[in-house]
Amino acid sequence: MKKHLLVAAISVLAAGTVMAQANDTLAKIKSSGAVTLGVRESSGLGYTLGNGKYVGFHTEMGEIILRDIQKQLKLEQLAVNYQPLTSQNRIPLVQNGTVDIECGSTTNNQARQKDAAFAYTTYVEEVRIAVKAKSGIKDIKDLAGKTLVTTTGTTSVQTLRKNKRAEKLDFKEVMGKDHADSFLMLESDRADAFVMDGSILAANISKSKNPADFKIVGPVLSVEPIACMLRKDDPEFLKAVNASIARQIKDGSLAKLYDKWFMQPIPPNNVKVGLPLTAATKDAWKNLNMKPMEEYTLK
Amino acid sequence: MSWDWQVFCQDTITQEVGQSCFGKNGDITYLNWLLSAWGWTLSVALLALVIALIVGSVIGTLRTLPDRPWVVGLGNAWVELFRNIPLLVQVFVWYHVIPSIFPVMKGVDGFVLVVIAIGLFTSARIAEQVRSGIQALPRGQRYAGMAMGFTTYQTYRYVLLPMAYRIIMPPLTSEAMNVFKNSSVAFAVSVAELTMFAMQAQEETARGVEIYLAVTACYVFSALVINRIMAFIEKRTRVPGMIAASGGGH
C-alpha cells in the first residue's frame, strides 16, 4: 500500500516537473535551440507562397519577435519551424505545445483568454462590407432584402447577426466554406455583399481578376484586436514577446513592416493591397494593451 | 479536461446563459441552433436518399436488360460518371458550374442543388448494387418468368426485383447510412447543417470539444436509427430458405 502511494507521489511529482518545463517556453527554446511559429496559410495578415514558405505582415513580425528573443537568450542559432494552423486547431495546438507562439489573424477575445494568452494588440481589424462597384450599395441600410455572404468559422458571422438585430434589417445570409469561396459567391452574383475583416476583403479584391469591379463600403461594423497567441501561464515568455513588440513599434520598424505588406506590391502577384493604417490600429500601437475584443468599442 | 456543457444554453447574440436552454421571443441559443442544423442534415440526407433509391433502382435495372446494349451502355456510363468524381467536386459543379452554363439554374436554392448532387452520387452506388443483386439471381429465375408468359416488365416486377432487393439489403443499409455522413458536404454550399454549425459555433464559443461531441452524437444517432429501420425491413421481408437469410451459411 505504501509502495503504491510512493509510486503515485513520484509520478505526480514527475508530471509536475514536466508541466513546469512545458510552461517555461524560454527555457525550452534555450535548451532545444528551436522554436515553432504558428502561421496562417490564407489570411490577410499571413499566407503561404507554397513550398513551405510563409509570409505576410504578422508572419514577418513573428519572425522578428523570435529574432529578438534569440538575442535575449544569447543563442548563436535558433531554428524556426513553421506550423500552419487553421481556425479549428489553433487553440488546441498552442495549448498542447505544438506551437510556441501563433502570429496570424487571431482575435483576442474573452472566450479565448480562458485557454491562451495574448501579446500586445498589433493590428485592429475592422469588419467591413465589400460589394460590386456598380451595385449602388453604399451603406448598411442599402442591404435590406439583399443576400450577404460571410465565411463559416469567423467572428464576422456574429457581427452580422448582431447588426441584423440592432438595425432591424431583413437580409438573407449565406456562408462560404472559406474566404475564397465567399469571394467567389460575390463575384458570381450569388451574394450582393461580402462581410468580412477589412484586410481579407482588400487582399481578395487585390487578387481578383478585375479589382476595379469591387469596392469596400459602409461603416465599420465591428473592431477586433488581433494579437499573437501564446500558451497561458508563461509570464516570462509573454514579457519577452511584448518587449519585442514594444521595441518594434517604438523604433518605427513595425510601421515600415506595415507599409511593406499593405501599401507596396507584394508576392506572389506583385499587387498592392492598398489598405492604409487605420486610426484604430494606430491607437493600439500608441496605447499598448492586451484588452479583449469585448473591451474595444466602435468609435 | 473540464467540460462546459452550459455552452449550449448560451444565447447566440449576447453569449449569456439564459434560464432556459431554449431561447424565447426570437432569441436563439446554441441548442436551438444545433437542433435546426440537425433538421437540415436530416432533410438533405433523407431527400437525397429518396432520389438515390429511385434513380439508382431505375439505372441498376436498365443495366441488366437483355438484348439492349445501348441502354446498358448508358447505365454503365452513368455509374462510372457519378462514382468516379469526388462528392465535394460534384457539389461544386452543381453549385457553381452548372448555373453559369444554364442561367435558368441560377435561381435554384443551394439546398436543392446539394440534394441533387448527393442523390445522384449515391444513385450510382445503389445502381451498382441493384445490378449485382439482379445478376446474383440464378438464370432460371428469368426463364421462369418468361415461361409464365410474363413481359420483361412483369418479369422484373414480380420475379427478379423482389428477390434482388432482399439480397442487397445489407449494402443498401450502409449506403443509407453513408448518405447521412455525406450530407456534411452540404456546408460547402452554405446549407446550415451540422458541420457548418460545428465550425461556426466552436469559433464563437471556443468550446470546440463539447460542440463536436454533440454533433458527433447527432450523426451517430441518425445513422443508427436508419440502420435499425433497414434491419427491421430486412427482417420482415426475409424469405425462408433464401440465400443469406439465415446468416449462417448451409
Side-chain angles (χ1 to χ4, degrees):
Chain A
M1 190 63 198
K2 264 188 186 158
K3 222 187 226 166
H4 283 140
L5 268 178
L6 197 69
V7 171
I10 287 172
S11 49
V12 166
L13 215 66
T17 354
V18 171
M19 285 291 278
Q21 269 171 359
N23 272 342
D24 191 350
T25 312
L26 288 177
K28 186 183 140 194
I29 294 174
K30 191 156 190 172
S31 66
S32 65
V35 63
T36 306
L37 175 65
V39 291
R40 299 303 287 264
E41 291 195 304
S42 64
S43 117
L45 301 173
Y47 57 96
T48 179
L49 296 176
N51 295 327
K53 221 171 137 37
Y54 299 95
V55 295
F57 172 61
H58 260 176
T59 307
E60 196 170 340
M61 184 187 82
E63 289 167 344
I64 296 170
I65 291 172
L66 295 177
R67 235 175 287 149
D68 281 357
I69 285 174
Q70 180 185 359
K71 262 181 235 157
Q72 185 196 328
L73 296 174
K74 299 191 179 65
L75 283 172
E76 281 194 9
Q77 277 190 338
L78 178 63
V80 178
N81 304 314
Y82 294 84
Q83 173 68 48
L85 300 177
T86 65
S87 302
Q88 280 79 41
N89 66 17
R90 59 190 165 187
I91 289 174
L93 292 189
V94 164
Q95 276 182 313
N96 75 12
T98 305
V99 299
D100 297 308
I101 174 167
E102 184 257 6
C103 290
S105 48
T106 301
T107 302
N108 177 353
N109 68 20
Q110 278 172 355
R112 290 182 188 146
Q113 282 192 358
K114 283 186 216 150
D115 298 316
F118 288 88
Y120 286 143
T121 296
T122 39
Y123 184 82
V124 180
E125 192 64 84
E126 298 184 328
V127 174
R128 305 285 307 268
I129 309 167
V131 294
K132 284 254 175 96
K134 56 176 195 298
S135 68
I137 299 173
K138 287 191 182 69
D139 200 3
I140 191 155
K141 293 192 298 288
D142 301 330
L143 295 175
K146 302 276 198 247
T147 304
L148 271 65
V149 63
T150 183
T151 306
T152 313
T154 64
T155 41
S156 298
V157 182
Q158 264 171 307
T159 305
L160 207 61
R161 210 184 289 147
K162 282 177 191 156
N163 269 282
K164 198 172 187 169
R165 164 73 62 90
E167 310 272 332
K168 296 204 170 59
L169 274 179
D170 192 35
F171 50 73
K172 213 182 147 231
E173 193 184 302
V174 292
M175 289 200 223
K177 172 169 67 66
D178 48 41
H179 299 316
D181 211 31
S182 300
F183 193 73
L184 181 64
M185 291 210 208
L186 175 65
E187 216 171 10
S188 60
D189 293 316
R190 277 202 175 265
D192 303 298
F194 180 11
V195 175
M196 189 42 59
D197 300 354
S199 66
I200 290 169
L201 293 179
N204 271 295
I205 291 175
S206 75
K207 279 185 277 182
S208 71
K209 265 178 279 169
N210 209 344
D213 283 355
F214 302 95
K215 240 181 11 189
I216 296 179
V217 296
V220 175
L221 298 183
S222 82
V223 286
E224 298 185 4
I226 310 282
C228 289
M229 183 164 65
L230 12 144
R231 255 188 305 285
K232 221 171 150 60
D233 305 322
D234 189 355
E236 287 302 308
F237 187 48
L238 180 63
K239 212 173 111 193
V241 170
N242 275 344
S244 169
I245 292 172
R247 196 270 303 160
Q248 292 182 50
I249 289 172
K250 206 168 157 217
D251 65 13
S253 59
L254 195 65
K256 261 189 217 137
L257 203 61
Y258 187 91
D259 188 67
K260 175 181 169 190
W261 288 104
F262 287 96
M263 303 310 287
Q264 305 299 326
I266 52 166
N269 302 327
N270 285 320
V271 182
K272 276 184 223 175
V273 174
L275 192 74
L277 191 56
T278 58
T281 304
K282 263 186 219 160
D283 190 59
W285 288 2
K286 212 163 120 196
N287 308 302
L288 292 175
N289 69 82
M290 296 183 277
K291 286 191 291 194
M293 182 175 125
E294 287 78 359
E295 288 175 37
Y296 269 73
T297 45
L298 273 172
K299 278 187 193 134
Chain B
M1 185 75 225
S2 58
W3 305 107
D4 180 15
W5 294 102
Q6 286 257 309
V7 63
F8 287 101
C9 303
Q10 279 181 19
D11 185 271
T12 53
I13 290 181
T14 57
Q15 306 287 316
E16 276 160 12
V17 178
Q19 289 180 329
S20 140
C21 284
F22 290 98
K24 290 187 193 87
N25 309 324
D27 288 340
I28 294 171
T29 63
Y30 285 99
L31 185 62
N32 288 132
W33 189 4
L34 172 75
L35 294 175
S36 130
W38 195 6
W40 280 104
T41 291
L42 293 176
S43 315
V44 169
L46 292 175
L47 289 174
L49 187 59
V50 170
I51 294 185
L53 281 173
I54 296 171
V55 180
S57 301
V58 171
I59 301 280
T61 309
L62 290 182
R63 293 178 70 198
T64 60
L65 285 181
D67 311 320
R68 294 268 169 71
W70 274 102
V71 177
V72 173
L74 275 178
N76 290 346
W78 177 278
V79 169
E80 297 311 326
L81 177 70
F82 283 102
R83 76 171 177 182
N84 282 313
I85 302 171
L87 180 56
L88 192 59
V89 175
Q90 292 194 31
V91 168
F92 274 106
V93 168
W94 281 99
Y95 193 67
H96 287 296
V97 183
I98 291 186
S100 73
I101 301 174
F102 308 104
V104 198
M105 299 289 284
K106 271 207 175 125
V108 181
D109 199 57
F111 172 76
V112 176
L113 294 177
V114 85
V115 166
I116 297 177
I118 300 175
L120 294 189
F121 174 81
T122 313
S123 83
R125 304 169 58 93
I126 291 184
E128 188 69 357
Q129 287 160 10
V130 170
R131 179 190 66 87
S132 50
I134 294 171
Q135 289 179 344
L137 296 171
R139 229 182 311 172
Q141 297 262 343
R142 191 187 289 275
Y143 296 153
M146 288 159 78
M148 293 289 287
F150 283 171
T151 62
T152 308
Y153 170 79
Q154 285 171 324
T155 310
Y156 275 94
R157 168 67 187 82
Y158 296 110
V159 182
L160 299 179
L161 286 176
M163 298 301 269
Y165 276 114
R166 287 181 170 88
I167 296 174
I168 63 167
M169 272 314 270
L172 221 47
T173 305
S174 5
E175 221 46 70
M177 293 166 77
N178 273 341
V179 166
F180 276 90
K181 290 174 266 173
N182 287 340
S183 70
S184 65
V185 298
F187 98 92
V189 293
S190 75
V191 174
E193 48 70 74
L194 281 171
T195 304
M196 177 180 274
F197 163 78
M199 294 179 77
Q200 185 57 38
Q202 71 98 21
E203 172 74 20
E204 290 175 17
T205 59
R207 305 302 322 179
V209 178
E210 289 86 343
I211 302 271
Y212 276 110
L213 276 176
V215 166
T216 308
C218 289
Y219 276 118
V220 169
F221 184 74
S222 319
L224 213 61
V225 167
I226 276 289
N227 174 298
R228 288 296 91 202
I229 293 174
M230 295 296 274
F232 175 75
I233 298 173
E234 190 181 338
K235 208 171 152 198
R236 293 306 296 263
T237 56
R238 188 171 286 168
V239 175
M242 220 184 94
I243 37 156
S246 58
H250 304 287

